Structures are given as structure tokens and as C-alpha cells.
Amino acid sequence: ALTHEAISDVAAPNVLTTKTITNDGGALIGYNNLLTSASISGDSSTPADALTPNTYQRWYPTATTVTAKFQLSVLADVDFIGIAGHNLTGVSVLIQTAVTVGGALTDVDTIVPTDNRAIMLNFDTRNIIEIALTMTLSASNEIAVVSCGEALQMPRSVYGGHSPMSLSQDTTFHDSTSEGGNILGRTIIRQGLDGQFKWQFLDDLWYRSTFQPFV
């Protein structure tokens, strides 16, 4: 038998809490670089050159084995470290963090890039003020950009029709031809990757508060 429950008998919640958005299949966008300064010992190079978004301005280490440290302005939560514009193929890179400037270092990971594409290393959130990169390099190695911060987590996955950037090469050629139309040679003007990402049904309040600063 079913007994009807009177509306007045149903308790109403007196405390409402919001659930943190998590989506294992959602994109992580590491756009907000919190690093503000850098230092290095036993090397005449300036790793701070890797803190600007201008990829023409690069950090050229001169020592064989270096440990460069990059600082945040204040203690902050971070969960990604990015390295771009580099030629570190085959170089072992030890990545560590510290809760005080110059303090004890805690390992995050050791990576060995298999190509020179941009690196984005994601890890569980840490409250830190400094990261350290230790590498054994050659005279030809360089790094254009080092970044660290808390990634923007997309609450929804990318919908169908997406082409991964790693499979979307974009190469611009210039062909030299004779007056008779014969190809005399070909020069690569620029080469890179091209991709688009599209999301639908994003919550409007979340978009204004979280995604709009990225836009």
C-alpha cells in the first residue's frame, strides 16, 4: 500500500553547497602563468628570459648541468608546468617544487621529451612558491617559455568533429617555378600545428566567472 506524504512533512534543506566541477574527459587549459622571477647558480645565463610569452626571447643555458629555479610572487595552488619553444629531445628534466624560496625541493616528475613539441605536465594540486628544473644540456639547447599555474578545467568534453592538434600539421610552402611552369625548388615558409576546440551547453554563470578571464 502507498501512503501519500504531505508536502509539509518533507524537510527542506537549510544549507546548500555547490559541488566542485570535475570532468576527467575535459580539457585542461594552462593559460594563467603565475611565475614572476627566476634564478640560477653557477651559470651566466638568464632563465628569466623564459618568463615572457615572446618566443623569440629564449633562455640559452651555458653550463652542462643546471638547476634553474622559477618563483611565484606568493604561495599559490598550482597543478601544471609548461615548457614550450624548446629543443630538449632526449634530455632528462627533473621537475621539483618548494614551499619556500630556496627551501627543500620535492620531486614532481622526471621527463625525457621524445620530440620538441610543447610540454604540459599535469599533477595533483600543490601549494608552492618555487619550481626547479634540473637538466644536463649541450651548448645548443634552449627554452623559450616556462609557465606554471592552476589549469582551467573545462566542465564538458569536446564534442564530435574534433581533430587532435598532433594530427593537424599546417605547413606553408613557397614554390619556385620557371617561365615554362617547371618546379625548380620548394621552401618551407613556416611549419606547425593547427587545431580548433568547440564546447556546447556551458553554464552561463560558470562561463562568466571562470572562462571569461581566459577569453
Side-chain angles (χ1 to χ4, degrees):
L2 299 178
T3 302
H4 177 71
E5 184 80 17
I7 295 177
S8 59
D9 295 334
V10 179
N14 54 16
V15 177
L16 297 177
T17 59
T18 57
K19 179 177 176 59
T20 301
I21 296 175
T22 58
N23 177 19
D24 291 339
L28 295 172
I29 305 175
Y31 77 95
N32 189 18
N33 186 12
L34 300 180
L35 300 177
T36 58
S37 60
S39 60
I40 194 169
S41 299
D43 191 274
S44 59
S45 63
T46 53
D49 288 339
L51 295 182
T52 69
N54 307 317
T55 55
Y56 77 90
Q57 184 177 352
R58 299 181 175 229
W59 168 37
Y60 299 95
T62 59
T64 302
T65 300
V66 299
T67 296
K69 296 182 177 182
F70 300 85
Q71 296 83 32
L72 292 71
S73 59
V74 295
L75 275 168
D77 288 340
V78 305
D79 58 15
F80 85 89
I81 293 173
I83 303 174
H86 66 87
N87 58 352
L88 299 177
T89 298
V91 175
S92 178
V93 183
L94 171 62
I95 300 175
Q96 300 169 296
T97 62
V99 297
T100 59
V101 175
L105 295 170
T106 303
D107 293 356
V108 176
D109 201 356
T110 298
I111 60 174
V112 182
T114 57
D115 55 43
N116 292 335
R117 290 183 295 184
I119 298 166
M120 183 171 175
L121 176 65
N122 301 103
F123 46 89
D124 291 338
T125 301
R126 296 185 177 195
N127 188 254
I128 66 163
I129 199 170
E130 186 173 63
I131 69 170
L133 305 181
T134 301
M135 302 164 285
T136 299
L137 305 168
S138 67
S140 60
N141 287 124
E142 60 188 46
I143 297 175
V145 176
V146 176
S147 60
C148 178
E150 193 167 21
L152 168 60
Q153 166 75 70
M154 293 302 297
R156 296 187 178 274
S157 302
V158 176
Y159 284 78
H162 171 68
S163 297
M165 289 184 65
S166 58
L167 302 178
S168 304
Q169 289 81 2
D170 183 18
T171 304
T172 302
F173 297 100
H174 173 73
D175 291 329
S176 299
T177 58
S178 67
E179 292 183 357
N182 295 311
I183 295 179
L184 303 177
R186 167 171 282 182
T187 302
I188 295 178
I189 304 300
R190 58 179 174 270
Q191 191 173 34
L193 303 174
D194 186 19
Q196 293 184 348
F197 299 83
K198 296 181 180 180
W199 290 274
Q200 300 180 40
F201 311 117
L202 296 175
D203 179 77
D204 57 342
L205 294 178
W206 179 88
Y207 186 97
R208 292 188 182 95
S209 63
T210 307
F211 195 80
Q212 186 61 36
F214 165 62
V215 173

